[in-house]
Amino acid sequence: MNGKRSDRKSSGRGQRDLTVKVKTAKGRKSSSTRWLQRQLNDPYVRRARREGYRSRAAFKIMEMDDKFRFLVPGAKVVDLGCAPGGWCQVAVERTNSMGLQKGRKRGFVLGIDIQEVEPIQGCLISNLNFMDSDADEAVKKLIGGKVDVVMSDMAAASSGHRQTDHLRIISLCEAAAEFSFDVLEEGGAFISKVLAGGAEGELQKLLKKSFGMVANFKPPASRADSSEKYVVATGYRGR
C-alpha cells in the first residue's frame, strides 16, 4: 500500500480456479464448516490477503468511496466499530494521513472499537464501547474538533432472530448518526451499515433533514445473500 488510491483489480487470468473444500472436523458444526469453506473460497478474502488488508470489508468502503468520494486527502475521519481495521487502512491511504502523497493535505483517522485492534500506522485507535453513556464525549476529546467523515460498520451480536437483529443495528446507526450531527463539518459525510428490514426508513428521514444527499448502497463486495446494505449521506447542512 503506497498511500495512493488503489484501482487494482484481479482478473484471475492465468490462475487455476481451485475450490477449497473443508471437511467437518470433530466438534465443529456443519454451519461452521460451511462458513469456513465460504471464507476460503471468497475472492475478496483472497484479495484482501494478497493486498495486505485486514478484512474483505476494506473493499466495501473502497467501492462506496469510489462512487461517493468522501475519503479525500486532508479529510478527518472517525471509524466507529473499526475492528479488525480494514476500513481504517483504506481511510489512511485515501486521506493521506501518513503524508505519503507529497503536496497534498494530510488527513486524520481515528478508529473506535470495543475489541482490541492491532495498531495501524497513520491511524489513532481507541478501545472503548461507543454505546457507553460517556463514550461520545471521550471520542470528541480524541478528535479535538470537527471531522469530515463519520463512518460506522458497527453491528450487534446476532440473536438469530432477523427482526431483532435489524432493530439492534438500527439503534447503533441512530447513535452513530446523532454523534455525526455533533461533530461533522459543513459538507461532511456519514456512512453506516444497516440491515434491510423496514425500520431503516425512519433513519433515512432523520438523515434527510440534515444532509443534501442520502442514498442506500450495496457494495459489490457485500455478499449477495447478505441483508446488509449501507446508507451514505453527504453534504451535511447542520441540524
Side-chain angles (χ1 to χ4, degrees), residues 18-190:
L18 299 177
T19 299
V20 179
K21 293 185 178 180
V22 180
K23 294 182 179 180
T24 302
K26 185 177 180 181
R28 182 196 295 152
K29 294 181 180 178
S30 59
S31 59
S32 298
T33 299
R34 288 194 300 272
W35 179 88
L36 181 57
Q37 184 162 320
R38 183 175 68 171
Q39 284 292 102
L40 291 173
N41 290 288
D42 189 313
Y44 283 102
V45 172
R46 294 198 298 265
R47 184 180 167 193
R49 290 199 194 103
R50 186 169 64 249
E51 297 185 18
Y53 293 108
R54 295 185 179 183
S55 69
R56 69 191 306 282
F59 301 107
K60 298 177 188 179
I61 199 66
M62 283 185 199
E63 290 163 351
M64 285 187 277
D65 184 47
D66 287 345
K67 183 175 179 64
F68 298 102
R69 301 290 182 178
F70 46 84
L71 296 176
V72 297
K76 295 183 68 175
V77 179
V78 176
D79 181 5
L80 303 174
C82 69
W87 281 25
C88 286
Q89 287 178 292
V90 175
V92 165
E93 293 175 354
R94 297 195 171 193
T95 65
N96 192 34
S97 73
M98 291 176 62
L100 299 179
Q101 299 177 43
K102 302 302 181 184
R104 309 191 80 173
K105 292 182 179 179
R106 188 167 183 167
F108 168 85
V109 181
L110 170 65
I112 303 293
D113 204 283
I114 192 171
Q115 301 179 43
E116 292 286 346
V117 179
E118 288 294 317
I120 297 171
Q121 193 172 3
C123 176
L124 174 64
I125 296 175
S126 181
N127 178 219
L128 57 83
N129 184 351
F130 182 72
M131 297 305 287
D132 286 347
S133 59
D134 58 348
D136 57 342
E137 292 303 320
V139 176
K140 289 174 186 176
K141 288 181 180 178
L142 291 170
I143 296 168
K146 297 287 187 177
V147 300
D148 302 291
V149 181
V150 172
M151 52 191 195
S152 170
D153 204 22
M154 291 191 292
S158 175
S159 68
H161 185 265
R162 183 170 180 172
Q163 188 61 19
T164 298
D165 292 340
H166 172 67
L167 293 174
R168 284 177 175 175
I169 198 168
I170 289 298
S171 69
L172 292 173
C173 294
E174 290 175 343
E178 289 292 339
F179 173 74
S180 76
F181 297 152
D182 287 342
V183 301
L184 279 178
E185 293 275 13
E186 185 176 340
F190 172 72

